[in-house]
Amino acid sequence: MLKVAIIGAGAISTSHIEAYLQFPERCQIVAISDIYVDKAQERIDHYGLKAKAVKDYKELLTAEIDLVSICTPPYTHASLAVEFMEANTHVMVEKPMASSLEECDMMNDASRRTGKLLSVVAQNRFKTPMMKMKSVLESGLMGKILHVQVDSFWWRGYSYYDLWWRGTWEKEGGGPTLNHAVHHIDALLWMMGSPSEVQAFMSNVAHDNAEVEDLSIGLLRYANGSLGQLTSSVVHHGEEQQLIFQGAKARVSTPWKVKASNSKSNGFPEPNPELESQLQAYYDVLPEVAYEGHAGQIDNVLTAIETGSPLLIDGISGRQTLEFITAIYKSASTGQLVKFPIGPEDAFYTREGVQANATHFYEKKKSIENFAATTITTGSTYK
Ligand SMILES: NC(=O)c1ccc[n+]([C@@H]2O[C@H](COP(=O)([O-])OP(=O)(O)OC[C@H]3O[C@@H](n4cnc5c(N)ncnc54)[C@H](O)[C@@H]3O)[C@@H](O)[C@H]2O)c1
């Protein structure tokens, strides 16, 4: 029975608690820590857990904790993850992995040094439409992918940035490119690999109470000549999130839709129902995921601890996602075309470097400790 602790008893902690509770034979939540210890106690009482509430997470560095879920604001992720791995504890850290590439490298070094697992949350991969899309792309049925369009459309009201750690380059580390599109960037890199170059714009169009962007557009070029475009936003009503892949032979997307064209003799399109049916049949027989979202990723982490099998989303993958996000911030802030890889010599490699060089849009106007409303939404089901 693996002993689990949760650090940070805020909005996303409930997804972790509910996911761990799906595996009562395999793990037990023994502690929850929050600097507002009453929040930790409230979670324990709400779920009837046999766990202790702890104000200072350091108390748990000496305890025999097998696995910790880090559910605190982004600026704390790196130091907490490193401390727990060094205390012999496997780590599952919420997205974004950290707010700089330097911190990601420190976390991956700690994982290598200690032999402890480091998994970065990207729960959307554990959703049936995403898993199916990955298989469809691997089938090759669509031919070479020529263009990818990623719409990471979210909507957050003005007060969203009033929470104490949000809206600053120092503590949140960025706007929706880092904190919302991170899900779709993870999926994009998983499905398409890394582009070779990025050119981006960003702006703050509706939240003059935040230093960070609320809208960005990145243009991507792949080594094989294919192009992509990614919009990261918290100003899109309806939050219609999608990934659209245009192959040489067919178009597929998440949420699922398939279209295929043949060429008439004059080059104009006519439908290709045979290929559409073939792709549909391929999609239909692919399996559903056994556990959705956070439960899927926690099952993957527990299995890795129990059997030594590989993690689906490790710190290397988390770093690639942050490297892509850093490229968007660098390009949008400097006007430069950014090429990969981004290493220690880059001005945007460290957290201080991002803070000094990224565009500051507005000053944070308000800082509240906690919202009265505690329920949140975490994006599309892609159905
Ligand atoms: N995977 C997802 O879909 C998803 C959704 C929302 C948030 N998140 C991520 O989860 C993290 C937390 O976000 P949230 O919305 O739950 O924020 P939140 O503010 O609701 O909760 C964070 C909690 O961490 C506590 N905390 C801060 N520093 C701490 C420390 N040193 N020790 C113990 N507790 C500490 C705070 O008091 C707060 O209760 C962020 O990284 C965020 O990006 C992920």
Side-chain angles (χ1 to χ4, degrees):
M1 177 72 77
L2 295 169
K3 294 200 185 83
V4 175
I6 291 170
I7 314 301
I12 203 61
S13 69
T14 55
S15 298
H16 288 251
I17 296 168
E18 288 170 14
Y20 284 117
L21 290 176
Q22 291 194 41
F23 307 105
E25 258 88 77
R26 301 165 76 190
C27 62
Q28 188 193 352
I29 300 169
V30 296
I32 301 185
S33 168
D34 200 291
I35 48 177
Y36 299 101
V37 71
D38 50 318
K39 286 176 80 174
Q41 190 60 54
E42 188 278 325
R43 291 282 188 262
I44 289 169
D45 295 343
H46 178 82
Y47 289 99
L49 304 174
K50 286 201 191 88
K52 62 175 175 176
V54 173
K55 187 173 170 62
D56 186 351
Y57 70 89
K58 284 187 188 290
E59 271 186 51
L60 303 172
L61 294 171
T62 51
E64 285 181 359
I65 307 289
D66 298 298
L67 170 63
V68 72
S69 269
I70 298 178
C71 302
T72 52
Y75 75 98
T76 65
H77 289 180
S79 54
L80 284 169
V82 170
E83 281 186 82
F84 274 103
M85 284 186 274
E86 284 176 345
N88 209 28
T89 301
H90 299 294
V91 168
M92 178 157 172
V93 62
E94 259 300 341
K95 63 76 189 164
M97 178 169 173
S99 35
S100 72
L101 288 169
E102 181 186 42
E103 291 169 311
C104 293
D105 287 343
M106 281 162 44
M107 294 159 85
N108 282 325
D109 282 350
S111 175
R112 267 191 294 271
R113 203 169 55 241
T114 60
K116 292 288 127 183
L117 297 178
L118 172 62
S119 185
V120 181
V121 173
Q123 80 271 13
N124 281 336
R125 281 203 212 177
F126 298 90
K127 289 185 177 165
T128 296
M130 286 287 186
M131 286 284 182
K132 286 192 173 200
M133 179 54 70
K134 169 82 172 150
S135 300
V136 167
L137 292 172
E138 284 172 351
S139 76
L141 286 170
M142 305 156 53
K144 178 185 165 188
I145 308 300
L146 310 177
H147 178 256
V148 57
Q149 174 186 335
V150 181
D151 295 339
S152 192
F153 292 169
W154 307 72
W155 194 91
R156 294 292 180 269
Y158 196 80
S159 58
Y160 181 76
Y161 288 107
D162 290 342
L163 192 63
W164 61 275
W165 58 266
R166 290 204 189 116
T168 65
W169 287 102
E170 185 207 349
K171 289 198 164 57
E172 190 173 6
T177 317
L178 178 71
N179 287 294
H180 296 77
V182 64
H183 293 292
H184 299 113
I185 294 167
D186 169 80
L188 173 68
L189 296 177
W190 183 45
M191 293 178 189
M192 285 278 289
S194 181
S196 51
E197 299 170 345
V198 167
Q199 182 82 59
F201 287 102
M202 64 179 175
S203 187
N204 182 320
V205 291
H207 297 85
D208 68 8
N209 55 346
E211 291 175 7
V212 298
E213 88 289 0
D214 61 8
L215 179 62
S216 78
I217 298 177
L219 304 177
L220 329 173
R221 196 203 315 264
Y222 291 84
N224 67 0
S226 302
L227 298 181
Q229 63 194 71
L230 160 80
T231 305
S232 310
S233 166
V234 281
V235 300
H236 275 66
H237 297 272
E239 302 194 322
E240 288 159 302
Q241 299 160 12
Q242 58 179 352
L243 292 91
I244 306 175
F245 299 90
Q246 296 287 349
K249 299 184 198 160
R251 168 242 189 256
V252 292
S253 63
T254 305
W256 177 247
K257 188 167 115 181
V258 56
K259 287 277 171 206
S261 308
N262 275 333
S263 180
K264 291 187 194 168
S265 60
N266 65 358
F268 279 71
E270 64 183 3
N272 179 352
E274 293 80 23
L275 182 54
E276 286 179 3
S277 304
Q278 195 185 354
L279 274 157
Q280 187 65 50
Y282 187 92
Y283 188 86
D284 288 343
V285 298
L286 290 167
E288 302 270 314
V289 296
Y291 297 100
E292 276 255 322
H294 279 83
Q297 188 158 354
I298 282 172
D299 176 41
N300 179 257
V301 173
L302 294 177
T303 306
I305 297 172
E306 290 157 355
T307 69
S309 62
L311 294 168
L312 183 60
I313 309 159
D314 59 14
I316 305 300
S317 170
R319 190 205 189 273
Q320 276 163 1
T321 301
L322 202 85
E323 188 181 34
F324 182 104
I325 292 164
T326 305
I328 291 188
Y329 285 148
K330 179 177 176 181
S331 177
S333 299
T334 63
Q336 291 171 30
L337 176 78
V338 176
K339 294 180 194 255
F340 295 105
I342 301 177
E345 68 297 339
D346 196 282
F348 282 72
Y349 178 74
T350 62
R351 198 200 298 186
E352 298 73 31
V354 174
Q355 279 174 52
N357 293 296
T359 306
H360 286 234
F361 289 98
Y362 298 100
E363 293 313 311
K364 190 169 165 71
K365 295 201 167 69
K366 210 170 161 185
S367 185
I368 64 162
E369 285 185 356
N370 288 296
F371 288 121
T374 54
T375 49
I376 61 165
T377 50
T378 56
S380 173
T381 58
Y382 308 101
K383 288 187 176 142

